[in-house]
Amino acid sequence: MPNENPFQDPLRFERQVPECVIVIFGANGDLTKRKLLPALYRLAFDRRLAAGFAIVGISRTPMTDDDFREKMRASVEQFSEDTKLDNDVWAAFARGLYYVSGDIGDAGLYQRLGEKLGQIESERHTGGNVLFYLSTQPSQYAPISHGIGAAGLGKGTGWRRLVVEKPFGHDLASARELTDRLHEVFDETAVYRIDHYLGKETVQNILAFRFGNGIFEPLWNRRYVNHVQITGAEEIGVEGRGAYYQEAGALDDMIQNHLLQVMATIAMEPSASFRATSVRDERSKLLRSIRPMTADEVRQNAVAGQYGPARIGGKDVPGFRQEEGVDANSQTDTYAAVTFFVDNWRWAGVPFYVRTGKRLAKRVSEIAIQFNSAPLHLFNQDSGDAGVNLLILRIQPEEGISLKFLSKRPGSGMTLRPVSMDFNYGSSFGERSPSAYETLLLDAIVGDPTLYTRQDMVEASWSVVEPIQNAWRENKTDFPNYAAGSWGPAAADEMLARRGHVWRKP
Amino acid sequence: MSATVAPDAILKELAALFTQQGKEGDAGVLRACSMTLLVMAEAADDASALGETIAALMPEHPARTILIRLQGEGERALSQRVYQQCWKPFGQRQQICCEQIEITASDAALGDLPSVILPLAVPDLPVMLWCRSARLARRPEFGEIAGMATKVVMDSAAATDCADAIQRMADAVRRGGILADLAWTRLTRWRETLARVFENRDTLARLSEVDSVQVRFGPGYDTAAWYLAAWAANALATVGQTVTPAVGRQDESLRLELSGGAFRVSLSRQDDRLVTVVNEQSNCTNLPRPADYHLMREELGIVRRDAIFEETLASAARLAVSSSGQS
């Protein structure tokens, strides 16, 4: 019997997407309504899903299948950013939507789920493939996984996979404990830890940029790179999620996962192939090479911030402590800036400045790679800025790449000024880019974990972040220390100034 | 009609268009280009439909398009005009514009075209030649024009002598050219459907029973039939099964059948549907005839050798020879 299908043509055929059921725990939640259902509907709209595809929503609210379908239709209509609801496509998609209500601690819920999966299997021939998606409070991950296992749903005739949203624990010990609990039911190969940043086209484009081109990689090291700045800034505040955010903070919510993953993508060694294991091995290796800090080093290399009230564009904006559900004396960091060092031959001594925050001047995520200046200035420069050679990889908005370099100013004389050469990803290709959730959901269905976070990566990043957490817990900061709408606390500027650097104002 | 075209004047005109456009809009204009798309079409070819096809291709494959309009016989004539194709991506203020150059040439001026096209091609980017004229492909001037292209896209189904067209293409590939045939591109959905049938492990296990590949075809499906038969037989050969495909005529459309023992898989077109039968189980999917846009969208996405196509082309050319010998 042939092992491989001889009729496949990977150059031309769409990636094979198997039939499956996605079971969404937390189907009544914000993530399901805003991201998951619109992404799945768009995949259906683009005919990327198999004909037998089905979704089972699970939450405590009693609802019929039809009620759930109506609710999801409203979500898709409201939250699909660039896809109008097509009645025919929706009708076919909605036929695959089912609902089971119950409490995640109740064994009966999993029994009813098992019956529903059996019914769907006979109706839609899903091949026994099930993707469990945990879109719930993180504290419920382990109980749900246990419930799935106890009901015998963790194994079946087809594959079984589990997708979990961040945070993966709140420190190293809790991350390990969570992993152990999940592993009681699912092997590591079946656990997909989703980090939606990695699903963004532009983050994937970093790999294309670095490893698809020959001209940048020779410069990508300590000899030519002066420092790197990674920014994940948000203009908005906590938007009604104050109670949740108070428990997390900027360091845990953004740096431990998203931004360290971005840093790993920027700094990792080339992988031997684009297979999931190779790419993830290199990311993991890089994360393990980041130098953990002592308490003393944390004081020098990490800055916590919290925004205070301000007036922005004629509108009064509350400080974090004035937000609904937030403790008036909260010590939560809404801003974090950290200087990381990577202890390997490529990056030794190069500072990686990583910052994130709420209520900053604008919403922007980008990586700026500052190259060393020319060794000798032969010409007059309009700009006193010595670090003119800057490569900026913009993740959002206006995804693209800019290279800043010096050019002669028109006219007589030899005066130079910096110019920018821009590539705009969205505009150069007029085609729509899939959303991060579309990419990642499809990857999970086809069993490609390249863009998902592995256990060792999670542990490596907690190992780096935990000493900072501990130091910040032990030493209270005088919050608030930056005004809403600014670029963060002065201490963060001082942190860079100690090495003769300044934060970019993107 | 004028008899000369100055490439440097065309390039200046293009630059002026962009400068003008940049001054008019407040959000600026972005010049996008990932290739040179050289389209050669007869004057009788529907200009408006072709224009729409090119415009539809631009968002995914932004290109400098050089459209050569073939005027046929008559006195030597060569003329040009320049314009832009612009659009605004969803939710963005900035316009993206691609440039289009239209050159009209009589047969007597065909020999002048290479010297005009060469400086107009965007440096360092692939040149994709879409030859929509079967007549041009047989002219001696075509070789030099095709030689400038990274990839040449043709349509053997449009040729008056399909067997001759497919053999010419196979010869060109043997000489090292990168070619595509839209008659092959039209079969992607067919091939994908057959591949899906064998994604099922039980069905894949029965592949070893297959000892017959039969293709029946109606008018207009000659090359498609040769391709399907050759592809299926080649694929079977990769798993160690040698099957000599049988290709024969029927009243209409196209039908592929793989069979052996008690196992049978067939694919056939019925109007706008593709009917797949695996033993007694049949399945029907929507299969509208693909427009040129869909075919070219697929081909412009492949700027390298397509090993499966090239192997199939070589085998299909042999089938065409034996079929021609029989008829």
Side-chain angles (χ1 to χ4, degrees), chain A residues 5 8-9 12 14 427 430, chain B residues 59 92 96 191 195 298-299 306:
Chain A
N5 180 351
Q8 278 298 345
D9 185 349
R12 288 175 186 263
E14 290 274 0
S427 303
Chain B
Q92 294 196 15
I96 307 176
R191 298 189 303 116
E298 183 175 327
E299 288 305 336
D306 177 350

Side-chain angles (χ1 to χ4, degrees), chain B residues 192-211:
Chain B
E192 201 166 12
T193 304
L194 187 68
R196 279 200 185 139
V197 168
F198 288 98
E199 277 301 293
N200 180 304
R201 291 195 64 77
D202 294 338
T203 316
L204 184 64
R206 303 199 65 179
L207 196 59
S208 52
E209 296 173 36
V210 173
D211 57 14

Side-chain angles (χ1 to χ4, degrees), chain B residues 228-240:
Chain B
L228 262 189
W231 169 70
N234 286 355
L236 286 168
T238 63
V239 291

Side-chain angles (χ1 to χ4, degrees), chain B residues 58-121:
Chain B
M58 288 304 109
E60 190 171 356
H61 301 289
R64 174 181 289 172
T65 305
I66 305 173
L67 172 59
I68 310 285
R69 281 266 169 205
L70 305 166
Q71 291 295 83
E73 293 175 358
E75 66 182 64
R76 186 178 172 285
L78 201 58
S79 67
Q80 52 83 14
R81 72 185 180 110
V82 170
Y83 49 99
Q84 282 171 317
Q85 184 82 48
C86 298
W87 69 94
K88 274 187 190 172
F90 187 88
Q92 294 196 15
R93 290 173 63 228
Q94 193 177 41
Q95 280 198 97
I96 307 176
C97 292
C98 291
E99 45 214 31
Q100 296 202 6
I101 301 160
E102 188 172 318
I103 294 172
T104 306
S106 66
D107 285 357
L110 286 178
D112 296 325
L113 281 178
S115 62
V116 174
I117 294 167
L118 192 61
L120 291 180

